[in-house]
Amino acid sequence: MNIIVLAKHAPDPESEINVASDGKSVDERGLVFDINDWDRYAIEEAIRIKEEKGGEVVVVGVGSKCEDTLRKCLAMGADRAIKIPVDTSLDAYQTAEAIKEAIKDEKFDLILAGMMSQDLNNAQVGVLLAAMLDLPFATAVSVISSIEDNSLTVARELEGGYNEEVTLPTPCLITVQSGINEPRYVSIMGIKRAKTKEMKEVSVSPTTSTLEVEKMYLPPVKKAEMIEGDPSEIANKLIEILKDRGLI
Amino acid sequence: MMRVFVIAEHRMGELNPISIEMLNLANALKGDGTSEAVVIGKDINAYAEELAKYADVVWKIEDNSLENYNPELYIDVLMQLFANNKPDVVLIGNTSCGSEYAPYLAVKLNAPIATDVVAVNATDGMKVSRYLFQGKLMTDLKLKDAETYVLTIRQGVFKEGVEVNGEIKDAGIKPSKEPARKFVQYIEPEVGEVDISQAEVIVAVGRGIDDESNIELAEELAELLGGVVAGSRPVIDNGWLPKDRQVGISGKIVKPKLYLALGISGAFQHVMGMKDSELIIAVNKDPEAPIFGVAHYGIVGDIFEVFPELVEKLNEMKG
Ligand SMILES: Cc1cc2nc3c(=O)[nH]c(=O)nc-3n(C[C@H](O)[C@H](O)[C@H](O)COP(=O)(O)OP(=O)(O)OC[C@H]3O[C@@H](n4cnc5c(N)ncnc54)[C@H](O)[C@@H]3O)c2cc1C
Ligand SMILES: Nc1ncnc2c1ncn2[C@@H]1O[C@H](COP(=O)(O)O)[C@@H](O)[C@H]1O
């Protein structure tokens, strides 16, 4: 089974997030980048399928600085990488168009993407690509329960702990939900091997954008009443609150 | 004249409240135009009647093959409807199913799309607000001028609205082909030993708990308070707690008397599962963590400093 995996080099939401001086973008200085969390699960799933069924795993990244993430995927076990060195900012349409263009000569049975990117939280790129390629698709997949020659059976996550089981013919596109597997750590051997693997750059010029950022800002929040002091004082105040409410 | 379409959502016999919330938004946006709900399925009269209270028009698209949601069939019938009824705006719930087919529909309609939208301004082009970084940042976007826009709408935002009592129409549309993707079955959530939705006290831990071995601390605290331990999604994804302990949109909705949130950032998908708790106390080392927006009391600090002190004092009290 030949699999294409989309992996984004994305800033960690736990890094320092500040608005840049233009008021329309994120200040890159505080940001720590790594593979998008959902894509870690996607690449792991692809490698597991390959280990079981054979075939090739090709990882695709869009962004001028996405190399580290592609290398990480190669170190985990992907066979080769395609880097598309354009920055599409917030525009999922442009990202999907660029990927479509870059993989047009690839033969694949399955495209795996993450359910969403940890910075933009769009949950769009995978499905946009499916639409552009007219592929059957399923999102938020929590289990791939069987892989036949020409079809897959998967469970996709609904609300409230429910799942929906569906079958899809291949080729198709799936976006994976976190927790679908336990992603492996990158081994030293893996990193060594990755150095010899192919990383191809494909230049694609972005299509016209579909949106414009007018403003970026810290969301207004209603603030909780803050309890301050050293740990002992805090504990005392907490106990007081709990007593007041009859909770202890 | 603006036609704002709302694609209703229902599953296993229940209309999702997001359907009505989107109609509230549609009525606010439509100006002298119309709010038009679309309900797709089998046996949908009851939904149509409920929707008609809040919509100028309700379009019924009914067929046996539409009994269970299928994105290909939804897109198929919606494209047929829109061929003769051009939408200016299509609103879809930012739910598991809505967020699945909305981007596909947008491509087929050649429409710009914004997802998980929390505010809309259509007076001068199409402007929307949405969160980034799981609630830590917000952005105002202007979508490129187009004939049709597709927006997915966050639940729980547009709760206020008026009744308009419109008419119900049968669209007379059937799917034009067999879908490639087939529905097999619904899978029920696993049932564990404790039902956290019944608990009066919940000690909830997030990624900030850092390691499986620290769950013990939470268990000790829960025991002292007569409660149970629950977790945010990453804690469950990592296998530190069983799936039935997950609080949030894809886990359980809880309303305990006390919800203690330890090392949880407060992403929307988590907050939806606990925001109605009677008393919420959050401990987080990040003063900007969104959880402080829903908590009644907040403590900026390290759980591993606050925790042991509290456990010790509670132990003393118990003697
Ligand atoms: C479709 C979908 C469904 C989802 N469903 C759910 C759901 O049902 N439930 C759910 O919870 N999530 C759900 N999520 C995931 C959700 O978006 C967030 O990713 C998740 O809630 C984050 O969990 P967290 O707060 O534990 O982790 P993080 O966001 O990583 O936050 C960890 C927090 O711990 C703090 N911290 C770290 N160390 C310490 C310390 N020593 N002391 C104090 N504080 C510390 C940090 O400041 C940070 O705020 C869903 C996502 C999607 C896309
Ligand atoms: N710049 C990118 N490079 C590679 N894959 C991407 C990129 N942006 C998004 N994706 C893929 O699309 C998924 C959804 O992203 P988004 O639509 O931004 O939420 C991600 O989990 C990735 O798999």
Side-chain angles (χ1 to χ4, degrees):
Chain A
M1 183 157 236
N2 293 330
I3 307 175
I4 292 177
V5 182
L6 312 184
K8 178 173 179 174
H9 192 53
D12 185 340
E14 285 308 296
S15 47
E16 212 181 295
I17 296 157
N18 291 306
V19 178
S21 54
D22 65 358
K24 292 181 181 194
S25 56
V26 187
D27 187 346
E28 289 234 345
R29 277 171 302 187
L31 298 179
V32 180
F33 285 74
D34 200 346
I35 181 171
N36 178 39
D37 200 47
W38 277 272
D39 302 346
R40 232 167 26 98
Y41 292 99
I43 187 76
E44 175 65 34
E45 198 65 17
I47 294 164
R48 287 185 188 196
I49 296 171
K50 178 195 139 158
E51 284 168 352
E52 205 192 308
K53 304 270 173 189
E56 192 188 31
V57 174
V58 181
V59 56
V60 179
V62 182
S64 57
K65 294 180 209 130
C66 72
E67 215 157 301
D68 284 355
T69 280
L70 294 178
R71 286 260 171 249
K72 189 171 209 168
C73 294
L74 293 173
M76 281 173 79
D79 297 292
R80 56 189 172 88
I82 297 176
K83 174 180 172 184
I84 308 167
V86 296
D87 292 312
T88 48
S89 164
L90 266 69
D91 201 325
Y93 244 100
Q94 288 186 324
T95 309
E97 281 276 3
I99 296 169
K100 178 192 161 198
E101 189 55 31
I103 63 170
K104 65 176 191 293
D105 295 327
E106 296 287 336
K107 298 245 181 310
F108 61 86
D109 303 294
L110 176 64
I111 300 180
L112 283 174
M115 139 144 227
M116 70 181 199
S117 55
Q118 60 196 18
D119 52 344
L120 304 184
N121 308 154
N122 274 330
Q124 286 187 34
V125 170
V127 183
L128 291 173
L129 182 62
M132 290 168 186
L133 297 171
D134 276 318
L135 292 173
F137 65 108
T139 63
V141 167
S142 53
V143 184
I144 300 182
S145 43
S146 90
I147 301 171
E148 306 294 327
D149 281 344
N150 301 308
S151 76
L152 299 180
T153 304
V154 306
R156 57 180 303 271
E157 190 180 274
L158 304 170
E159 285 78 13
Y162 282 85
N163 277 266
E164 171 192 21
E165 192 174 72
V166 302
T167 59
L168 297 150
T170 53
C172 61
L173 182 144
I174 280 171
T175 79
V176 305
Q177 176 57 297
S178 62
I180 184 173
N181 53 39
E182 238 179 86
R184 69 195 65 191
Y185 289 99
V186 175
S187 68
I188 306 282
M189 274 299 283
I191 294 169
K192 272 194 190 146
R193 250 182 262 131
K195 289 201 176 115
T196 63
K197 290 180 179 173
E198 176 186 308
M199 165 109 58
K200 185 168 79 176
E201 278 206 22
V202 179
S203 299
V204 175
S205 31
T207 49
T208 45
S209 73
T210 63
L211 52 83
E212 196 184 306
V213 177
E214 295 214 311
K215 209 170 130 194
M216 242 179 232
Y217 48 101
L218 296 176
V221 287
K222 167 201 91 136
K223 277 273 174 185
E225 186 177 320
M226 299 313 261
I227 304 173
E228 278 152 23
D230 63 36
S232 162
E233 287 165 350
I234 289 173
N236 284 336
K237 281 185 201 158
L238 280 176
I239 286 173
E240 223 171 277
I241 294 167
L242 298 180
K243 269 190 184 157
D244 268 0
R245 301 262 183 154
L247 289 162
I248 45 175
Chain B
M1 217 195 67
M2 187 140 100
R3 295 180 75 175
V4 185
F5 281 78
V6 166
I7 319 304
E9 179 163 333
H10 58 89
R11 179 159 59 238
M12 295 184 248
E14 279 184 55
L15 188 67
N16 189 323
I18 183 68
S19 312
I20 307 295
E21 292 169 20
M22 291 191 288
L23 284 170
N24 292 337
L25 172 61
N27 288 325
L29 290 176
K30 70 186 178 189
D32 56 3
T34 49
S35 59
E36 307 187 34
V38 184
V39 56
I40 302 169
K42 180 191 164 202
D43 302 329
I44 50 178
N45 284 331
Y47 307 136
E49 274 164 34
E50 178 65 14
L51 292 163
K53 288 186 199 158
Y54 307 94
D56 296 310
V57 182
V58 177
W59 296 95
K60 283 200 301 177
I61 302 181
E62 202 162 11
D63 193 62
N64 285 342
S65 67
L66 297 169
E67 179 171 7
N68 295 300
Y69 157 80
N70 181 303
E72 293 168 42
L73 294 181
Y74 268 47
I75 290 154
D76 178 349
V77 296
L78 287 171
M79 290 306 285
Q80 292 183 54
L81 177 71
F82 294 153
N84 299 314
N85 296 276
K86 228 176 78 51
D88 294 283
V89 186
V90 181
L91 304 178
I92 297 172
N94 193 56
T95 56
S96 173
C97 294
S99 69
E100 179 174 57
Y101 70 86
Y104 201 104
L105 184 69
V107 170
K108 298 302 161 191
L109 287 169
N110 199 14
I113 173 170
T115 46
D116 200 10
V117 165
V118 297
V120 183
N121 180 339
T123 47
D124 168 27
M126 179 56 74
K127 295 181 184 179
V128 303
S129 304
R130 64 185 303 277
Y131 289 96
L132 301 171
F133 289 96
Q134 271 141 282
K136 294 198 159 173
L137 198 62
M138 185 154 232
T139 179
D140 293 350
L141 300 172
K142 183 174 190 307
L143 300 189
K144 194 180 82 177
D145 288 340
E147 291 184 357
T148 301
Y149 302 96
V150 174
L151 308 178
T152 73
I153 306 299
R154 178 175 283 199
Q155 60 200 87
V157 181
F158 300 99
K159 286 191 158 171
E160 310 292 316
V162 290
E163 298 203 359
V164 295
N165 296 310
E167 55 174 330
I168 299 174
K169 293 184 186 174
D170 193 331
I173 290 169
K174 307 268 178 228
S176 65
K177 54 182 187 299
E178 278 278 307
R181 167 171 145 181
K182 303 265 196 290
F183 173 83
V184 181
Q185 60 174 340
Y186 289 118
I187 303 168
E188 307 246 337
E190 283 166 40
V191 192
E193 350 123 40
V194 220
D195 183 359
I196 56 166
S197 66
Q198 301 301 317
E200 297 209 328
V201 173
I202 292 180
V203 176
V205 293
R207 210 196 302 259
I209 193 81
D210 203 41
D211 194 84
E212 183 166 17
S213 59
N214 297 324
I215 300 280
E216 244 174 71
L217 276 167
E219 263 156 11
E220 194 179 351
L221 183 57
E223 198 170 311
L224 284 165
L225 294 169
V228 299
V229 177
S232 67
R233 180 163 193 131
V235 171
I236 279 78
D237 285 346
N238 286 339
W240 300 345
L241 282 173
K243 179 79 188 167
D244 59 300
R245 303 287 184 109
Q246 182 178 318
V247 174
I249 225 162
S250 51
K252 290 211 165 124
I253 312 280
V254 299
K255 289 178 195 168
K257 291 196 169 131
L258 171 64
Y259 191 89
L260 206 51
L262 305 167
I264 294 177
S265 65
F268 170 74
Q269 292 91 347
H270 184 81
V271 168
M272 282 302 284
M274 47 63 80
K275 65 175 173 26
D276 295 326
S277 305
E278 281 175 41
L279 176 64
I280 302 169
I281 303 176
V283 184
N284 197 302
K285 63 179 184 191
D286 174 8
E288 303 294 335
I291 192 73
F292 293 129
V294 282
H296 302 97
Y297 293 97
I299 296 151
V300 177
D302 189 326
I303 27 182
F304 302 109
E305 284 170 17
V306 180
F307 241 146
E309 198 74 32
L310 184 61
V311 168
E312 195 179 313
K313 291 216 154 80
L314 286 168
N315 264 324
E316 276 169 26
M317 283 173 63
K318 296 238 153 140

